Amino acid sequence: MKILIKGGRVVDPKNDFDKVADVLVDNGVISEIGENINADGDVTVIDAEGKIVSPGLVDMHSHLRDPGQEYKEDIESGTRSAAMGGITSIACMPNTKPVTDSEPIVTYIKTKAKEVGHVNVYPIGSISKGLEGKELAEIGELKNAGAVAISDDGRPVVESGLMRRALEYAKMFDIAVISHCEDLGLADGGQMNEGFMATYLGLKGITRAAEEVMVSRDILIAEATHTAIHIAHVSTRGSVELVRQAKKRGVNVTCETCPHYFTLTENAVDGFNTNAKMNPPLRTSDDVEAIKEGLKDGTIDCIVTDHAPHHIDEKNCEFALALNGIVGFETSLGLGLQYLVKSGVLTLNELIEKMAVNPSRILRINKGSLSIDADADITIFDPSKEWTVDISKFQSKSKNSPFDGFTLCGKPEYVIVGGKIVVNNGELA
């Protein structure tokens, strides 16, 4: 089947293309981009006038909970949720049960994604066996099985020598290393950001240094070994500055942040709101401004969701017992458009670059562009169309989001994955 997308503003930062044009999809790939395209035969026509036609978004940091915790999310529900957010490719973290630390688990995820997935799924393997931080996982085996990165996300690699060996082996196998930067001794069982709000609520705080010390350590190890490191979920001004200065020195470091770190502050926790509990925690308004500055000047390469679904019983409890994390697939584009593009922090091209082009480059996957003969992964949205977040309508099994009731803009109207329409006029196809 052919799909002809007519009259949209085609924005493709990777190919420096930004103009009103038609896009023809044929046999699952992009076959032509230009003006007044005509197509014969069985053609589905999408009127994109007044809308943005962009590469499908790529989320390089998510949790699908499958295998082992399917009561929170599974590959089918998670990819359904991603599709509704305009995300056509996701990379899923290894803190599953069992841990994604071997070829059989990677194969399971890939096979199930092909069978029931609505978008492309790329497994991330663990750095250490069982996420225990004691012994390296079989990195070559993970890469050969189809893992696109390695990470112990959810836990830090505490032992510096192990992180050094992980970086050196990853360089040999040309696979990305994603670091969860947290000094557990400094975090010391804290519940939220250390500061006034923590004192006001009587909750134990987490110092910014818990993140920044490990960011500094991993940058120094990467610098010493001439290897690449990707820093996950940056949340503080100090971390942004550490990455900024490392890049100036020529260190091969990239980093990401999440929408909640450029939209919310620690004040969202007021009232013991467990949907605002995450790790790293929400910080101060100064940190939020620093994240925006880092996005604007290119210090922060990617915007990811860190989609972390939890059952309601794991959030509807005492704050100290509530699990960390929020769901993010269905709000990430809207938050980026509302809080970054609409406010002038980023251009639309820069937002798409951080949500599609750069994640693809870091993961070494052939996504994030509208190149001729590329897989037809396409997201179509109206950036000016406002909508209200309603968690009851989320496609995710879990509803743990602090953005319920927020007014955003740019909800995806059409999403195409591999030439197949998976979201049609704002609804799952």
Side-chain angles (χ1 to χ4, degrees):
M1 185 183 74
K2 297 178 182 178
I3 302 171
L4 181 57
I5 305 167
K6 296 287 291 184
R9 177 185 165 191
V10 180
V11 179
D12 181 9
K14 186 174 181 180
N15 292 305
D16 196 24
F17 188 95
D18 184 353
K19 63 177 67 174
V20 174
D22 300 342
V23 178
L24 180 62
V25 174
D26 189 3
N27 198 29
V29 301
I30 297 169
S31 62
E32 187 178 355
I33 298 178
E35 298 180 3
N36 301 317
I37 295 175
N38 293 309
D40 299 325
D42 184 14
V43 182
T44 298
V45 178
I46 296 175
D47 180 5
E49 185 176 354
K51 299 178 178 63
I52 303 298
V53 180
S54 86
L57 306 181
V58 178
D59 184 2
M60 66 177 291
H61 188 145
S62 69
H63 302 266
L64 292 181
R65 308 301 190 202
D66 190 351
Q69 294 180 311
E70 291 88 350
Y71 70 96
K72 303 187 189 202
E73 194 81 284
D74 57 35
I75 289 171
E76 196 280 330
S77 65
T79 57
R80 194 171 62 218
S81 178
M84 288 298 289
I87 298 165
T88 59
S89 296
I90 55 179
C92 53
M93 286 295 177
N95 54 341
T96 48
K97 293 185 177 180
V99 172
T100 309
D101 62 0
S102 62
E103 182 273 336
I105 309 301
V106 174
T107 300
Y108 163 82
I109 293 170
K110 291 180 65 180
T111 301
K112 188 170 181 181
K114 287 182 179 179
E115 292 173 350
V116 303
H118 296 261
V119 303
N120 306 300
V121 175
Y122 295 92
I124 295 173
S126 63
I127 290 174
S128 66
K129 292 182 179 179
L131 297 179
E132 294 177 351
K134 297 177 181 178
E135 184 181 355
L136 283 181
E138 298 292 342
I139 297 173
E141 176 185 302
L142 292 168
K143 170 69 182 288
N144 291 336
V148 294
I150 55 172
S151 178
D152 273 6
D153 186 64
R155 303 182 188 182
V157 176
V158 174
E159 214 285 305
S160 299
L162 188 71
M163 177 57 89
R164 172 178 180 161
R165 290 191 294 278
L167 289 170
E168 291 172 336
Y169 273 92
K171 184 176 183 180
M172 290 168 53
F173 291 108
D174 190 31
I175 189 171
V177 178
I178 302 173
S179 175
H180 172 107
C181 289
E182 179 184 17
D183 185 305
L184 297 177
L186 288 170
D188 194 24
Q191 302 299 319
M192 64 172 294
N193 184 57
E194 184 178 86
F196 171 80
M197 186 55 67
T199 302
Y200 171 72
L201 294 174
L203 295 172
K204 188 170 185 178
I206 302 173
T207 174
R208 291 174 184 78
E211 176 179 321
E212 294 162 3
V213 163
M214 292 295 266
V215 170
S216 178
R217 183 204 72 169
D218 286 351
I219 285 173
L220 290 172
I221 294 173
E223 187 171 21
T225 55
H226 306 287
T227 54
I229 187 75
H230 180 80
I231 307 296
H233 39 55
V234 167
S235 73
T236 74
R237 178 174 288 280
S239 293
V240 174
E241 186 60 23
L242 284 164
V243 174
R244 181 181 287 121
Q245 294 304 321
K247 286 188 172 187
K248 288 180 180 179
R249 297 199 307 273
V251 182
N252 192 355
V253 57
T254 53
C255 71
E256 65 187 40
T257 195
C258 311
H260 37 278
Y261 298 125
F262 61 73
T263 57
L264 301 175
T265 69
E266 61 186 354
N267 292 336
V269 178
D270 196 9
F272 300 97
N273 179 11
T274 57
N275 281 331
K277 184 183 181 185
M278 54 203 70
N279 187 27
L282 297 173
R283 306 290 187 177
T284 67
S285 56
D286 180 65
D287 294 301
V288 169
E289 288 308 306
I291 295 297
K292 291 179 179 179
E293 291 164 10
L295 287 164
K296 190 177 184 68
D297 70 14
T299 300
I300 300 175
D301 303 89
C302 307
I303 296 171
V304 304
T305 65
D306 197 0
H307 178 81
H310 293 298
H311 188 273
I312 187 171
D313 292 343
E314 296 169 326
K315 283 290 192 178
N316 189 22
C317 58
E318 297 93 333
F319 197 90
L321 299 178
L323 299 183
N324 291 311
I326 67 172
V327 291
F329 285 149
E330 297 178 54
T331 53
S332 60
L333 176 60
L335 289 165
L337 290 167
Q338 186 75 34
Y339 287 86
L340 298 177
V341 176
K342 204 170 181 180
S343 62
V345 176
L346 296 179
T347 66
L348 180 61
N349 277 265
E350 288 169 336
L351 181 71
I352 294 171
E353 191 171 37
K354 293 180 189 297
M355 297 186 75
V357 181
N358 291 348
S360 302
R361 172 177 54 81
I362 293 166
L363 293 178
R364 289 89 151 163
I365 60 174
N366 190 23
K367 300 292 183 181
S369 82
L370 298 176
S371 302
I372 302 300
D373 292 331
D375 292 341
D377 294 347
I378 303 170
T379 298
I380 302 171
F381 60 93
D382 182 346
S384 63
K385 187 175 181 179
E386 292 189 340
W387 60 284
T388 301
V389 178
D390 182 351
I391 59 172
S392 69
K393 295 180 180 178
F394 280 0
Q395 292 296 322
S396 173
K397 287 184 179 182
S398 299
K399 316 299 178 187
N400 49 303
S401 169
F403 297 112
D404 192 32
F406 275 50
T407 298
L408 306 179
C409 56
K411 192 174 181 66
E413 297 183 22
Y414 294 90
V415 179
I416 300 168
V417 179
K420 178 183 178 182
I421 299 173
V422 296
V423 174
N424 189 335
N425 201 25
E427 302 290 338
L428 278 172

